[in-house]
C-alpha cells in the first residue's frame, strides 16, 4: 500500500546516490536489495552459517563506508559482489581464523566417475553443492569458489590470496578432487542445508 | 592437466555457475543490526526540522505573550494609576490583571509605612492585608469577606474561614456599634487563620478602614473564584483570553484505519475485496503536538509515528489436492505466512477553530479545522480534515488540561502499487493537551 509502502527509488543510480548521501532509508533499501544474494555468496565461501553472517556484516560495513568511492552507480551489482568476495577471502586469511584442515591422502585418490559426467553433475542442486563446499578446507574452498564459480584465473587467484600461482593451482587441483570424492560419497542424497 | 581434465573443469564450472547464478539465502534475523550501528548515517533532517519548528513555535509564542499589546497597555496604565483609579476601574479590569493591579496599588499605598505599635509586618500584611489605620476609626466588615486576597486556599478551608469570619464579624459589628476598637480584627483574623491551620503565630493586626476593607473584600471574592464574580466578568474574561496567545503542548495516541474502493480499469484483476482489513491492518501510534491558541484559533505543529503489525498469507504457486467427496477433489492454493512491521512517520501542520459548547464558561468545546501532513519516508503530502471535542479542566492558576477525542479524515487519496485500490485514510485518537492561560 502506498501509505505504508517502502520508498522505491526510480533506479539503482538514485539508490546509490542516496546511499552516498548516507540516507538511512536508502541504506536499508540497499541492504534489502542485496542481502539475500550476498548471503548466498557468503555461504559458499563460509564453513558455517555463523561465519557467513559475519562475512556479510563485515562486507556491508565496508560497502556503506566506501560507497562514496563508487563513481559508476550502474555497476553497483558487481562492485558489491567483489567486496563481498574480498571480505570472504580476508576473513579466512586472517591468522586467528586459519583452521586449515589436514586432508588424508587417501581422500584425494582419483576415482573414476560416471561416464556421463555432465548428467551426473546435474543431479545435485545448489544446497547439496553448498553443503559439500562447506566440508572443504578453507583454502581449497576459496580456490574452488574463485576458479570454478567466479571465473578468476589461477594468476588472479594467486594475487588475491597472496600465494604463488603454482600453489593456487595445486590447491585447486586438490580441492576439486576432494569435492568430487565428497560428491560421490553423498551420492544423490538430498541434504537440507542450514535447517 | 590434460584436455580431458580441462573439459571436465569446464563442465563443472559451467554447472556450478548455472546452479549458483540465482542462488540466494536469507540471512538470520538481526544480521543487519550491527551494520546500522557501525556505518555512518546522517541524522534524518526531518527530525531536526521538527525540533526546530517546535523551538521556533515556542519562541514565537513566548514573544507574542510578552509583547502582547493588551499586556503592555495595562502595565503602563497601572504604572500611572493611583488608588482611586484602581478603585474605579477594578470592576472592568480583566480578571487576571486584577491581582497585578492590586499588588502595584498596595506597593504604592502601603510601602514605607510602619506600624503604630512598632511591630514588624506579619505574614498577613505581606499577603496584602492593609496594615496602617488611624486608631479610632470605625471598623466594619463586609459580609463574609475574610478571605485574604492573593492567597489560594483549599475549598474547605475557604468555606470554614468564610463561615467563621461571617459569624464573628456580625458579632463584632454589633459590638462595635457603640465602641469601635482598634483591635477588633485581631481575634477575628486569629480565629479564622487558626481554623484554617495556616498561621501558627498570628499577631493582632491594626484595624482596617471600611473603604479599604470593602475594596479588599471584592477583590478577595474574585481571587477565590467566587462563581458570582466569574459570571459577572465573563465577557471581560473571554475578551482578554481571546486577545492573548496561549501556548499548548499535547500528545495523542492514535490509531489509523483505511477505507478503500476499487478502481475499475481494464487491467483490474481484483474483482472483489471481501475483507478490506486484510489490506488495511489497524495501526497504532502517537502524535506529539504543540502550538498557539489565539482568538479561538489554534495553530499547531505535530510529529508522530504510526506502526502497523500485520500477519497475513501470500498465495504462491503451490496447490494441495485433497479428496472432498466421492470422485471429487478440492484444489486449494497454498500460501506463505508473512509478517509485516512497518512504521510511518508524519509531520503535520494544522489550523483549527475552537467553538465552545454551551454557555460562556462551559468546559466543553469542539474544534474543526484542517491540516497537512508530510511523510518523510515516501515524500507524500496528505491533507486532512480534523474534528475534535473535549473537556477543559483547570490545572492550578496558569494551566488548563484539555482532553477529548480527535478524528482526522484524509482528503488525499492514496492507491496501491497497482493503482487498483483507492485508500481513504483516517486517524482516530484521544488528545491530552496542556494549555497555558492567564494567571
Amino acid at each position: 500500500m502506498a501509505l505504508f509502502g517502502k520508498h522505491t527509488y526510480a533506479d539503482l543510480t538514485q539508490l546509490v546516490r542516496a546511499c552516498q548521501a548516507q540516507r538511512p532509508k536508502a541504506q536499508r533499501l540497499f541492504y534489502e536489495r542485496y542481502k539475500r544474494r550476498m548471503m548466498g555468496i557468503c555461504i559458499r565461501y563460509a564453513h558455517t552459517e555463523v561465519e557467513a553472517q559475519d562475512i556479510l556484516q563485515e562486507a556491508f560495513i565496508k560497502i556503506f563506508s566506501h560507497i562514496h568511492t563508487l563513481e559508476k552507480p550502474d555497476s553497483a551489482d558487481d562492485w558489491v559482489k567483489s567486496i563481498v568476495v574480498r571480505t570472504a577471502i580476508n576473513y579466512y586469511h586472517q591468522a586467528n581464523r586459519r583452521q586449515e584442515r589436514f586432508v588424508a591422502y587417501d581422500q584425494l585418490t582419483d576415482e573414476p566417475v560416471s561416464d556421463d559426467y555432465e548428467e551426473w553433475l546435474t543431479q545435485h542442486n545448489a544446497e547439496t553443492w553448498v553443503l559439500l563446499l562447506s566440508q572443504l578446507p578453507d583454502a581449497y574452498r576459496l580456490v574452488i569458489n574463485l576458479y570454478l564459480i567466479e571465473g578468476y584465473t589461477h594468476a588472479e587467484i594467486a594475487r588475491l590470496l597472496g600465494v604463488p600461482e603454482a600453489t593456487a593451482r595445486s590447491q585447486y587441483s586438490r580441492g576439486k578432487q576432494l569435492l568430487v570424492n565428497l560428491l560421490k560419497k553423498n551420492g544423490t542424497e538430498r541434504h537440507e542445508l542450514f535447517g | 592437466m590434460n584436455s580431458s581434465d580441462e573439459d571436465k573443469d569446464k563442465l563443472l564450472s559451467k554447472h556450478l555457475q548455472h546452479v549458483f547464478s540465482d542462488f540466494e539465502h536469507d540471512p538470520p534475523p538481526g544480521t543487519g543490526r550491527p551494520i546500522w550501528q557501525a556505518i555512518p548515517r546522517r541524522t534524518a533532517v526531518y527530525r531536526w526540522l521538527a525540533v526546530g519548528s517546535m523551538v521556533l513555535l515556542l519562541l514565537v509564542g513566548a514573544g507574542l505573550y510578552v509583547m502582547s499589546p493588551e499586556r503592555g497597555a495595562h502595565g503602563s496604565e497601572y504604572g500611572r494609576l493611583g488608588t482611586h483609579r484602581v478603585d474605579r476601574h477594578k470592576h472592568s479590569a480583566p480578571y487576571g490583571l486584577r491581582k497585578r493591579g492590586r499588588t502595584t496599588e498596595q506597593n504604592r499605598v502601603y510601602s514605607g509605612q510602619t506600624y503604630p505599635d512598632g511591630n514588624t509586618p506579619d505574614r498577613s500584611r505581606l499577603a496584602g492585608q492593609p496594615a496602617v489605620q488611624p486608631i479610632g476609626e470605625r471598623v466594619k466588615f463586609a459580609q463574609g469577606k475574610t478571605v485574604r486576597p492573593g492567597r489560594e486556599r483549599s475549598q474547605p478551608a475557604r468555606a470554614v474561614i468564610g463561615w467563621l469570619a461571617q459569624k464573628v464579624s456580625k458579632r463584632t459589628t454589633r459590638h462595635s456599634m457603640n465602641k469601635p476598637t482598634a483591635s477588633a480584627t485581631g481575634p477575628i483574623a486569629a480565629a479564622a487563620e487558626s481554623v484554617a491551620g495556616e498561621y501558627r503565630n498570628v499577631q493582632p493586626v491594626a484595624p482596617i478602614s471600611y473603604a479599604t476593607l470593602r475594596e479588599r473584600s471584592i477583590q478577595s471574592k474574585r481571587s477565590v473564584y467566587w462563581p458570582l464574580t466569574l459570571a459577572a466578568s465573563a465577557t471581560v474574561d473571554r475578551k482578554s483570553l481571546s486577545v492573548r496567545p496561549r501556548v499548548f503542548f499535547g500528545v495523542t495516541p492514535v490509531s489509523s484505519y483505511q477505507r478503500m474502493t476499487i478502481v475499475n480499469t481494464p487491467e483490474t484483476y481484483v474483482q472483489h475485496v471481501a475483507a478490506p482489513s486484510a489490506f488495511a491492518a489497524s495501526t497504532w501510534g502517537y502524535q506529539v503536538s504543540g502550538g498557539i491558541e489565539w482568538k479561538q484559533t489554534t495553530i499547531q505543529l505535530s510529529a508522530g509515528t504510526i506502526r502497523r503489525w500485520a500477519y497475513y498469507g501470500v498465495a504462491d504457486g503451490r496447490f494441495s489436492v485433497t479428496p472432498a467427496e466421492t470422485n471429487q477433489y478440492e484444489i486449494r492454493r497454498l500460501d506463505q505466512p508473512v509478517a509485516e512491521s512497518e512504521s510511518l512517520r508524519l509531520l503535520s501542520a494544522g489550523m483549527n477553530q475552537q467553538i465552545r459548547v454551551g454557555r460562556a464558561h462551559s468546559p466543553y468545546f469542539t474544534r474543526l479545522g484542517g491540516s497537512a501532513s508530510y511523510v518523510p519516508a515516501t515524500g507524500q503530502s496528505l491533507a486532512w480534515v480534523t474534528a475534535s471535542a473535549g473537556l477543559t479542566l483547570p490545572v492550578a492558576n496558569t494551566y488548563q488540561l484539555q482532553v477529548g477525542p480527535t478524528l482526522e479524515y484524509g482528503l488525499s487519496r492514496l492507491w496501491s502499487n497497482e493503482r487498483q485500490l483507492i485508500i481513504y485514510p483516517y486517524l482516530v485518537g484521544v488528545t491530552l493537551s496542556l494549555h497555558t492561560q492567564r494567571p
Side-chain angles (χ1 to χ4, degrees):
Chain A
M1 293 302 151
L3 184 59
F4 282 90
K6 294 168 184 172
H7 184 76
T8 51
Y9 291 86
D11 52 25
L12 182 60
T13 304
Q14 283 188 13
L15 182 61
V16 171
R17 295 294 182 209
C19 289
Q20 289 174 337
Q22 296 179 356
R23 297 190 187 283
K25 202 73 181 179
Q27 289 173 331
R28 283 193 179 274
L29 287 175
F30 192 89
Y31 172 74
E32 292 294 327
R33 175 189 172 98
Y34 287 107
K35 68 175 184 182
R36 286 175 53 84
R37 218 182 314 167
M38 295 306 120
M39 187 64 181
I41 294 175
C42 291
I43 277 193
R44 278 198 281 118
Y45 283 88
H47 178 58
T48 64
E49 187 181 19
V50 174
E51 291 180 357
Q53 187 182 5
D54 287 346
I55 294 169
L56 186 75
Q57 288 170 346
E58 277 188 34
F60 269 101
I61 290 171
K62 284 182 186 175
I63 287 167
F64 287 124
S65 301
H66 296 89
I67 197 167
H68 61 277
T69 62
L70 181 61
E71 295 178 354
K72 296 179 179 177
D74 294 340
S75 61
D77 289 354
D78 294 334
W79 182 75
V80 169
K81 185 179 175 183
S82 70
I83 288 186
V84 171
V85 170
R86 286 170 188 270
T87 305
I89 293 170
N90 291 337
Y91 188 88
Y92 290 104
H93 260 206
Q94 293 173 16
N96 57 349
R97 294 189 191 277
R98 180 179 291 274
Q99 296 175 356
E100 192 67 44
R101 292 166 183 79
F102 294 97
V103 181
Y105 186 77
D106 57 353
Q107 284 186 274
L108 300 178
T109 51
D110 193 7
E111 296 179 7
V113 296
S114 168
D115 293 337
D116 195 346
Y117 185 71
E118 189 172 4
E119 185 183 344
W120 179 70
L121 289 177
T122 56
Q123 292 174 353
H124 307 90
N125 59 12
E127 281 73 22
T128 306
W129 282 108
V130 167
L131 184 65
L132 297 177
L133 284 170
S134 69
Q135 296 175 27
L136 293 176
D138 295 341
Y140 293 176
R141 192 170 59 251
L142 283 177
V143 175
I144 293 290
N145 267 298
L146 292 170
Y147 185 82
L148 289 179
I149 303 174
E150 310 295 350
Y152 286 94
T153 64
H154 287 301
E156 290 170 336
I157 293 169
R159 264 202 311 277
L160 281 172
L161 299 181
V163 296
E165 187 176 339
T167 305
R169 285 179 181 275
S170 168
Q171 286 179 337
Y172 165 72
S173 178
R174 289 166 178 256
K176 187 190 70 174
Q177 193 57 52
L178 186 56
L179 182 66
V180 170
N181 288 346
L182 290 172
L183 194 62
K184 281 189 291 190
K185 281 185 179 176
N186 280 275
T188 56
E189 287 182 19
R190 300 300 172 97
H191 296 266
E192 289 297 327
L193 181 66
F194 305 125
Chain B
M1 186 179 291
N2 55 34
S3 61
S4 174
D5 287 340
E6 286 181 358
D7 291 341
K8 284 184 178 180
D9 285 356
K10 284 181 182 176
L11 277 176
L12 184 59
S13 177
K14 183 181 174 184
H15 174 70
L16 288 176
Q17 285 176 358
H18 172 73
V19 164
F20 288 113
S21 61
D22 55 353
F23 177 69
E24 293 180 346
H25 190 81
D26 275 324
T31 302
R33 199 171 300 126
I35 299 173
W36 310 130
Q37 293 170 354
I39 63 171
R41 310 182 80 191
R42 196 174 65 180
T43 307
V45 177
Y46 58 83
R47 287 183 187 170
W48 290 108
L49 281 176
V51 172
S53 301
M54 286 292 192
V55 171
L56 188 65
L57 199 65
L58 267 178
L59 291 176
V60 170
L64 287 173
Y65 184 83
V66 171
M67 299 172 66
S68 170
E70 186 204 20
R71 188 169 185 266
H74 280 285
S76 59
E77 184 184 6
Y78 286 122
R80 292 194 306 273
L81 288 178
T83 305
H84 297 294
R85 291 203 53 181
V86 172
D87 289 345
R88 195 163 58 245
H89 290 284
K90 65 184 187 299
H91 292 283
S92 60
Y95 165 68
L97 294 174
R98 228 167 272 131
K99 285 183 179 177
R100 281 194 292 275
R102 182 173 66 239
T103 305
T104 308
E105 173 202 355
Q106 288 159 2
N107 290 341
R108 290 169 62 86
V109 173
Y110 302 114
S111 61
Q113 295 184 359
T114 57
Y115 281 88
D117 56 358
N119 289 340
T120 55
D122 60 2
R123 285 184 63 190
S124 60
R125 179 177 180 249
L126 293 176
Q129 191 81 356
V132 179
Q133 186 66 31
I135 297 176
E137 284 195 12
R138 293 178 64 85
V139 176
K140 288 186 179 177
F141 261 81
Q143 295 296 313
K145 311 302 187 298
T146 56
V147 177
R148 295 173 185 274
R151 184 178 290 274
E152 288 301 317
R153 295 191 178 91
S154 63
Q155 192 68 28
R158 286 202 302 269
V160 170
I161 292 171
W163 175 80
L164 184 62
Q166 193 173 8
K167 294 289 182 188
V168 175
S169 68
K170 283 179 181 175
R171 191 176 56 191
T172 307
T173 305
R174 284 198 301 271
H175 176 72
S176 62
M177 290 294 286
N178 297 326
K179 187 181 179 183
T181 59
S183 60
T185 55
I188 300 170
E193 300 299 350
S194 63
V195 170
E198 293 190 1
Y199 299 134
R200 300 294 182 192
N201 302 311
V202 177
Q203 299 292 329
V205 296
I208 303 169
S209 70
Y210 174 74
T212 306
L213 185 60
R214 193 168 60 178
E215 172 199 330
R216 304 297 312 153
S217 64
I218 293 171
Q219 292 172 352
S220 301
K221 282 198 296 185
R222 287 173 181 161
S223 68
V224 295
Y225 294 94
W226 212 292
L228 184 63
T229 309
L230 280 177
S233 63
T235 307
V236 176
D237 190 14
R238 188 169 53 186
K239 181 184 175 186
S240 63
L241 286 177
S242 66
V243 172
R244 177 180 293 180
R246 300 191 299 170
V247 181
F248 69 92
F249 296 96
V251 61
T252 308
V254 294
S255 179
S256 76
Y257 302 91
Q258 298 171 17
R259 187 173 67 81
M260 289 179 292
T261 57
I262 300 175
V263 181
N264 289 318
T265 62
E267 296 80 23
T268 300
Y269 60 83
V270 179
Q271 297 296 327
H272 176 64
V273 179
S277 59
F279 293 88
S282 62
T283 62
W284 296 94
Y286 66 92
Q287 279 189 337
V288 179
S289 58
I292 296 173
E293 189 178 348
W294 186 64
K295 283 187 176 180
Q296 309 299 325
T297 301
T298 302
I299 300 171
Q300 70 176 33
L301 295 176
S302 61
T305 297
I306 301 170
R307 179 164 284 278
R308 177 177 71 177
W309 293 274
Y311 300 91
Y312 53 87
V314 174
D316 54 18
R318 297 174 299 138
F319 295 86
S320 69
V321 181
T322 53
E325 297 175 4
T326 309
N327 295 330
Q328 288 188 353
Y329 294 91
E330 182 184 30
I331 300 177
R332 193 164 59 89
R333 190 170 186 176
L334 301 178
D335 57 15
Q336 288 185 335
V338 175
E340 270 189 25
S341 176
E342 294 183 41
S343 65
L344 177 76
R345 289 189 177 88
L346 287 170
L347 300 177
S348 304
M351 182 180 290
N352 295 285
Q353 182 69 30
Q354 180 169 312
I355 303 166
R356 284 206 176 275
V357 177
R359 300 170 64 180
H361 282 276
S362 167
Y364 300 101
F365 66 89
T366 59
R367 282 201 187 98
L368 294 173
S371 66
S373 296
Y374 174 69
V375 186
T378 60
Q380 288 176 304
S381 297
L382 311 175
W384 306 83
V385 173
T386 62
S388 60
L391 170 69
T392 301
L393 302 168
V395 178
N397 257 355
T398 52
Y399 296 102
Q400 285 182 345
L401 194 65
Q402 293 188 354
V403 59
T406 301
L407 173 67
E408 296 188 20
Y409 185 75
L411 296 176
S412 304
R413 301 295 180 249
L414 307 172
W415 47 83
S416 67
N417 293 331
E418 296 80 18
R419 296 186 180 233
Q420 292 166 356
L421 296 173
I422 299 180
I423 304 163
Y424 308 83
Y426 59 96
L427 298 173
V428 178
V430 177
T431 300
L432 184 70
S433 59
L434 191 66
H435 297 239
T436 60
Q437 70 169 0
R438 300 173 67 99

